[in-house]
Amino acid sequence: MKWSRNGGLKNHNFLRKRIKPGTIRHLEYDLLDVEIGESWPIPVSVVHGSRPGPVVTLLGAVHGDELVGPLALTYLCGQNFMGLERVIDPSALAGTLRIVPITNLPGYRRRIRYFPDGRDLNRSFPGNPDSNTTSRVANGLWKNIISGSDYIVDFHTAAKGRTNIPQIRANLAHPTSNRIARSFGIETILDSEGPKGSLRRVANDNDMACITFEGGGPDEADPESVQISMYGTINLLRSLRMLPGYPSKPRFRILASGSVWVRSDQGGLLDVLAPAGSFVEEGEIVATVTDPEIPGENHDVVSPIRGLLISTATHPFVNSGSPIGHLLPVRRGAATLKRRLDEEGCLIISGSDGDPPWREDEDIEDIAIFGEWSGGSPDAEWGPIESAEEEED
Ligand SMILES: [Zn+2]
């Protein structure tokens, strides 16, 4: 580490500004370096602590229609439901936070995932200053915002037509990413290095710790995902000893390297009975399919295996073979998991039911789920097969 807790107080040099210890600065950063035309200035808040420590960068809306990150990161910068005081007080902070609530501002304004040239920013890192628009933006972010970070958290939701339970994705073979993935304090961690060109994968390749949070769906402000994003960030900062206080920790962690898909065998309109977060038994009815052309007839979609549904379809139109749910098969550890279900049979995620208790790490049960991601990445089966891009939400 290039910082020392015993070191003196230093200004944080960022975007050609000197930020004094113990202060918050709200800056603007131009996504494009132009003299004429749109430069797309985005807000960046820097909280520079009064004591030395690591640099943590938090990004929201890399996909413009994913609003959980922008909400959580905006709340972290100011007053919110956690109390009248600021959550993150620079006088109590060790180290530095760079907070970018809306990374893909043009997409956010248009309410779309992509940049105006139709490209996906999260497949374009580290980018190229002489290439297409999205690649230039990625390269600018890489050099000016990401560079110099020790830890990165990238906040996402599911893509259109589906919803995710709050979960962390990280390459668990990358030691510092593994550490912050666990420190976020929630149950579900998917072990995946991320698609080519994703911030997570490229940051890890450059030896920076990076995890992706996923929760909720696009175009919505899922309150549970927003709250868990905030609590998780605070847990992470406490674990890194950047903020005072003990991090809260879950009762168990599911560390998954593979999944099973629940598919419809019929075409028609879907009614999901077991929402994302449900623990389902083998043979349990997860959804029904009806066809407006044959009223009165409906077909059940049953779970092929016992497990935790981490994602479900929200768009009702299905064909035979359409994925309607993404399931982590749970063999060992089912009894532990079942003790944390609500009356509807859904997992109560740590951080969603008030302040969960602090635990020693050895008191947390690790539930390993072995296997592979069908198609190579967690979300591959959701996407069109002809897609040149690797799928991830
Ligand atoms: Zn996303």
Side-chain angles (χ1 to χ4, degrees):
M1 286 289 163
K2 47 197 174 299
W3 48 271
S4 152
R5 289 188 196 275
N6 304 319
L9 302 178
K10 290 202 179 88
N11 292 330
H12 185 62
N13 295 317
F14 181 65
L15 300 177
R16 297 197 190 116
K17 302 273 192 322
R18 285 201 187 117
I19 300 156
K20 290 198 183 86
T23 61
I24 300 183
R25 287 283 294 275
H26 301 288
L27 309 172
E28 268 193 347
Y29 167 73
D30 288 328
L31 290 178
L32 288 176
D33 180 16
V34 291
E35 278 163 32
I36 58 169
E38 271 288 354
S39 64
W40 295 326
I42 61 166
V44 180
S45 296
V46 180
V47 189
H48 187 36
S50 60
R51 291 175 294 135
V55 176
V56 175
T57 299
L58 309 171
L59 299 133
V62 165
H63 293 135
D65 59 351
E66 300 181 358
L67 306 176
V68 166
L71 275 162
L73 296 181
T74 305
Y75 289 153
L76 275 177
C77 283
Q79 292 182 357
N80 58 68
F81 60 83
M82 292 170 75
L84 290 175
E85 299 296 314
R86 279 179 192 278
V87 181
I88 293 168
D89 178 358
S91 68
L93 182 74
T96 308
L97 294 179
R98 299 172 180 171
I99 303 174
V100 188
I102 307 163
T103 310
N104 175 358
L105 186 85
Y108 168 83
R109 293 236 166 98
R110 290 167 176 79
R111 303 184 194 182
I112 55 167
R113 173 185 177 90
Y114 300 104
F115 259 76
D117 64 357
R119 291 187 171 87
D120 189 330
L121 178 60
N122 207 29
R123 302 294 179 275
S124 303
F125 289 101
N128 180 333
D130 303 314
S131 184
N132 62 67
T133 306
T134 304
S135 184
R136 288 176 188 217
V137 168
N139 190 250
L141 289 166
W142 181 255
K143 283 186 192 152
N144 297 300
I145 306 276
I146 306 299
S147 157
S149 305
D150 298 298
Y151 303 95
I152 302 158
V153 188
D154 188 12
F155 291 87
H156 287 256
T157 74
K160 276 210 186 343
R162 55 216 200 225
T163 188
N164 284 334
I165 63 163
Q167 57 192 262
I168 292 292
R169 296 177 179 189
N171 179 0
L172 296 180
H174 188 266
T176 49
S177 299
N178 186 315
R179 180 181 172 199
I180 59 167
R182 289 168 188 264
S183 77
F184 207 82
I186 60 174
E187 286 82 358
T188 309
I189 301 177
L190 308 194
D191 183 9
S192 139
E193 64 178 352
K196 285 195 185 87
S198 65
L199 179 59
R200 177 165 94 245
R201 181 144 162 188
V202 176
N204 284 176
D205 287 346
N206 287 271
D207 211 27
M208 277 183 260
C210 183
I211 61 173
T212 307
F213 170 86
E214 294 258 1
D219 298 316
E220 63 166 15
D222 176 47
E224 184 183 65
S225 295
V226 172
Q227 181 174 326
I228 289 170
S229 300
M230 294 180 62
Y231 283 142
T233 303
I234 290 161
N235 284 337
L236 185 150
L237 298 175
R238 285 177 170 168
S239 295
L240 294 172
R241 289 168 48 225
M242 293 174 68
L243 281 180
Y246 287 113
S248 62
K249 294 183 178 179
R251 247 160 260 223
F252 61 90
R253 293 192 191 98
I254 302 168
L255 303 163
S257 60
S259 61
V260 166
W261 290 87
V262 185
R263 294 176 192 279
S264 177
D265 291 325
Q266 305 294 330
L269 296 176
L270 189 69
D271 187 9
V272 175
L273 304 177
S278 301
F279 184 81
V280 294
E281 297 290 343
E282 182 179 337
E284 189 174 327
I285 299 168
V286 170
T288 60
V289 180
T290 53
D291 183 353
E293 290 175 42
I294 313 170
E297 204 173 315
N298 56 62
H299 286 260
D300 295 335
V301 182
V302 299
S303 177
I305 198 165
R306 163 197 263 195
L308 179 70
L309 268 174
I310 57 165
S311 185
T312 52
T314 53
H315 199 290
F317 189 89
V318 290
N319 294 123
S320 174
S322 294
I324 65 126
H326 194 188
L327 191 67
L328 298 181
V330 177
R331 292 183 189 91
R332 283 184 176 184
T336 305
L337 204 153
K338 279 176 149 177
R339 282 197 286 273
R340 286 284 289 167
L341 300 180
D342 65 16
E343 58 270 25
E344 260 97 55
C346 283
L347 176 65
I348 301 163
I349 295 166
S350 189
S352 66
D353 61 339
D355 262 340
W358 184 78
R359 291 180 180 82
E360 293 288 352
D361 242 15
E362 55 263 36
D363 297 333
I364 303 171
E365 185 176 342
D366 278 353
I367 301 172
I369 293 172
F370 301 102
E372 285 177 6
W373 304 117
S374 173
S377 66
D379 297 314
E381 294 285 340
W382 285 117
I385 201 74
E386 68 272 17
S387 168
E389 292 172 349
E390 286 176 78
E391 276 291 315
E392 183 169 291
D393 295 333

